[in-house]
Amino acid sequence: MIRRSSYLNHVHVGDGTTLLFSGISLCVDLVPRDYWDSMRKDDFSFLTREEKEHLLNRGHLTNLTRAKELEAFKRQARYIYAKNTEITKKQRRASLCFILTYRCNLACAYCYQKTAYCKSPGPPLSEKQVEEILTKYLPEMFPGVPKKNLSFLLFGGEPLLPANRKSIVRILRYARQHSVNVIASTNAIHVPEMIEFFGREYGKIQEVQVTLDGDRAFHDTQRIPVSGEPTFDRIISAIRMLKKTKASVLLRIHTHPHRMKSTQRLAEFLQQQKIVGDNVKMYFSPLNDFQKCNREDMHAFKRIFERISQRTHIPPSSNLTFLKRLLEMQESKIFLKTRYCTVGSNSFRIIDPRGDIYDCYEEVGDRRRRIAAIADGKLKYTPLRKTYARRTLLNMPICLKCSFALFCGGGCAIRARKQTGSIFHPYCHQNKEYIRDTLKMYYLLGRTANLDFVKKT
Ligand code: SF4
Ligand code: SF4
């Protein structure tokens, strides 16, 4: 008995063809769209014997029962998890994020740092604390990781406030001495006063992420200080300065519910002004769920996504570049996701001025959610560290049945907890749409470049 695989996914390319991509065999095939239209109705009568065999071999069709296929998928997920763990151990890489301060010069309406402590924070991370972290606690946090395999993130609040200058200088000196990459996530307001910190070489901030909320009119209602003063023009001017430093600049564009036109105008502005390109790239980060969007919003989003991909040759989604490799894959290789992000992976830590250590950005400042703390000169872990380590697909029964599981990894743990009470529940957000749209764009871009990497049925 042949049926459609429970792990079969598809995306329409838009020219009468459809990409089938399997979440279990990881095979990608291009078929005429009417093939898919019949297949989704479980009608396989139009297929020749060879075609049926081909689709069976590629994992799009199966003769396994649902229960047996689920067992096969669990075996596959366990194998990939073991391989990912082995690769991570071999690579011996780690990142430390410094919360230089919880203070911020802006007061964005949607900011997630809303704990009482974040609103009324204590002193920033001092130069002395930075010194201690670098010399004493860093090796303890990441045992066996060579210094050159480290990367540092500067985060806040707003990390580039003038009061943090000395601590930043100390971090950059260490980075120069030990060839450590440094990344900063900033609102860019103080960039002009700190522009000498940015550049390509070690000892500089080599990568910087700056957020925009839409075109000038909308952005200036969102990303503003308490006084309400506009920031769009200041941020754009800072981005132009950053571009000249040759540091890699990542523009994180928040997409808001029912504000797609504003996103579109911003994307056009960034392109017309030649801000995007060379060392400046952009990606979309949704503050909205498609579930809450109307059809018009969704179509507008897809159009913008496509247009930007075509103009910049990179789909504007974050952490999905592995989908390009999925298309290029000649034989199976292991690179898929059994975790959504670094939470629980032991290769990423966030440290704040109180000596509290967290796994997730959205939990910083909430001491109940710390995974370790420095007290009396010692680093002590809390039970939460082990709970987070278990947040993999293997412990998420709903995700194990999802055809996107190995491309998604289970979604954001913290939003899942906030929404459902458990980190072991899925948080689908817009993950499926992003995966579909990104894969489609990589396919179209590859086809434009005459790469014939998808096997045609
Ligand atoms: S759990 Fe969610 S918010 Fe936290 S780091 Fe991961 S993706 Fe980000
Ligand atoms: S979070 Fe949602 S989309 Fe992601 S694997 Fe789980 S069920 Fe699938």
Side-chain angles (χ1 to χ4, degrees):
M1 180 68 178
I2 287 180
R3 64 178 183 87
R4 244 185 314 138
S5 160
S6 311
Y7 295 92
L8 174 58
N9 303 298
H10 76 284
V11 59
H12 298 308
V13 173
D15 59 355
T17 60
T18 298
L19 281 172
L20 302 181
F21 60 107
S22 165
I24 183 166
S25 71
L26 314 179
C27 291
V28 187
D29 287 86
L30 188 70
V31 296
R33 180 170 172 159
D34 52 3
Y35 274 42
W36 167 252
D37 291 339
S38 300
M39 284 172 73
R40 67 193 284 259
K41 293 181 207 143
D42 294 322
D43 171 12
F44 311 119
S45 58
F46 67 98
L47 294 168
T48 65
R49 197 162 57 87
E50 288 76 21
E51 285 172 335
K52 221 182 263 176
E53 260 169 34
H54 180 76
L55 291 172
L56 265 170
N57 285 338
R58 305 283 289 167
H60 305 314
L61 299 181
T62 183
N63 40 30
L64 295 178
T65 61
R66 283 184 195 284
K68 288 234 163 88
E69 199 182 27
L70 175 60
E71 283 315 308
F73 183 76
K74 284 184 188 168
R75 280 197 299 278
Q76 162 95 321
R78 275 197 293 271
Y79 176 73
I80 293 176
Y81 174 74
K83 281 285 171 194
N84 283 349
T85 311
E86 194 184 306
I87 292 167
T88 311
K89 269 193 192 146
K90 262 194 210 148
Q91 284 176 335
R92 295 190 299 156
R93 295 192 173 280
S95 299
L96 179 63
C97 173
F98 294 90
I99 301 283
L100 288 167
T101 177
Y102 281 108
R103 285 186 197 286
C104 188
N105 44 349
L106 300 187
C108 309
Y110 50 77
C111 181
Y112 56 81
Q113 292 186 346
K114 287 202 191 314
T115 63
Y117 186 75
C118 294
K119 282 184 184 164
S120 181
L125 195 72
S126 68
E127 199 185 353
K128 184 165 169 274
Q129 283 177 300
V130 170
E131 184 69 35
E132 267 182 15
I133 294 167
L134 293 173
T135 52
K136 187 169 170 192
Y137 299 110
L138 193 56
E140 207 178 327
M141 274 190 261
F142 303 120
V145 175
K147 287 177 182 154
K148 66 175 178 43
N149 285 359
L150 287 166
S151 58
F152 292 153
L153 271 87
L154 310 183
F155 207 78
E158 168 51 37
L160 303 187
L161 293 182
N164 300 335
R165 182 174 269 276
K166 282 190 182 160
S167 298
I168 297 171
V169 168
R170 179 62 191 103
I171 292 168
L172 294 180
R173 194 162 76 235
Y174 184 97
R176 192 181 60 242
Q177 283 164 349
H178 302 291
S179 306
V180 173
N181 285 311
V182 182
I183 301 161
S185 179
T186 172
N187 58 37
I189 300 291
H190 285 290
V191 158
E193 298 135 59
M194 299 204 180
I195 199 71
E196 77 276 13
F197 289 154
F198 295 89
R200 269 199 180 155
E201 62 275 30
Y202 288 119
K204 301 273 184 184
I205 299 170
Q206 295 152 309
E207 188 179 315
V208 52
Q209 179 174 286
V210 181
T211 304
L212 292 161
D213 273 289
D215 63 349
R216 182 186 286 103
F218 182 61
H219 173 101
D220 282 341
T221 64
Q222 299 291 309
R223 250 182 130 59
I224 42 176
V226 181
S227 64
E229 199 185 309
T231 59
F232 185 83
D233 289 335
R234 284 179 79 177
I235 296 175
I236 293 295
S237 151
I239 294 168
R240 289 187 203 278
M241 290 175 83
L242 287 169
K243 183 168 177 143
K244 287 189 192 144
T245 67
K246 305 283 184 220
S248 164
V249 185
L250 213 49
L251 304 182
R252 174 184 162 114
I253 314 289
H254 282 158
T255 57
H256 292 254
H258 318 306
R259 292 288 176 176
M260 285 302 158
K261 289 215 168 88
S262 167
T263 307
Q264 188 175 337
R265 284 194 289 269
L266 173 64
E268 278 162 11
F269 171 83
L270 294 172
Q271 283 166 0
Q272 277 161 10
Q273 295 286 315
K274 299 199 176 3
I275 294 170
V276 174
D278 303 324
N279 54 328
V280 183
K281 302 197 168 39
M282 64 171 145
Y283 75 95
F284 289 145
S285 174
L287 290 192
N288 54 315
D289 277 344
F290 273 140
Q291 287 83 340
K292 290 183 195 150
C293 288
N294 54 31
R295 282 179 79 81
E296 202 186 314
D297 257 2
M298 275 185 65
H299 286 138
F301 176 80
K302 282 177 188 298
R303 275 198 305 276
I304 303 167
F305 192 96
E306 256 185 69
R307 204 173 305 159
I308 291 178
S309 305
Q310 273 154 354
R311 288 200 192 150
T312 61
H313 304 288
I314 304 171
S317 45
S318 142
N319 297 331
L320 290 176
T321 43
F322 70 89
L323 291 174
K324 183 166 188 273
R325 286 157 59 203
L326 184 78
L327 286 167
E328 290 163 347
M329 197 162 75
Q330 300 300 317
E331 52 198 62
S332 58
K333 282 184 206 151
I334 310 298
F335 54 80
L336 295 161
K337 292 173 81 161
T338 42
R339 284 184 193 282
Y340 180 68
C341 64
T342 52
V343 162
S345 68
N346 281 332
S347 61
F348 180 67
R349 297 285 183 246
I350 307 171
I351 189 160
D352 81 356
R354 291 193 285 186
D356 290 335
I357 296 170
Y358 297 87
D359 245 16
C360 163
Y361 300 106
E362 292 215 13
E363 297 196 319
V364 294
D366 181 353
R367 294 193 119 168
R368 292 164 305 175
R369 308 301 306 171
R370 57 191 174 168
I371 59 134
I374 293 171
D376 304 325
K378 290 208 174 88
L379 183 70
K380 282 197 189 132
Y381 286 96
T382 70
L384 193 57
R385 178 202 192 191
K386 285 196 177 152
T387 309
Y388 280 159
R390 290 178 48 245
R391 214 279 182 169
T392 72
L393 285 182
L394 305 182
N395 297 312
M396 301 177 70
I398 300 175
C399 294
L400 283 169
K401 290 184 178 167
C402 170
S403 58
F404 285 82
L406 289 171
F407 308 123
C408 165
C412 171
I414 276 49
R415 293 190 188 180
R417 179 176 62 76
K418 286 182 181 162
Q419 198 174 67
T420 70
S422 168
I423 61 162
F424 296 101
H425 285 159
Y427 186 77
C428 304
H429 201 34
Q430 300 178 351
N431 303 351
K432 293 180 186 176
E433 287 82 359
Y434 266 81
I435 291 163
R436 279 203 184 99
D437 289 343
T438 305
L439 186 77
K440 170 182 162 180
M441 288 321 299
Y442 275 130
Y443 168 71
L444 287 173
L445 291 167
R447 197 174 65 174
T448 312
N450 289 326
L451 297 176
D452 187 21
F453 42 51
V454 175
K455 191 166 170 47
K456 291 191 180 155
T457 314

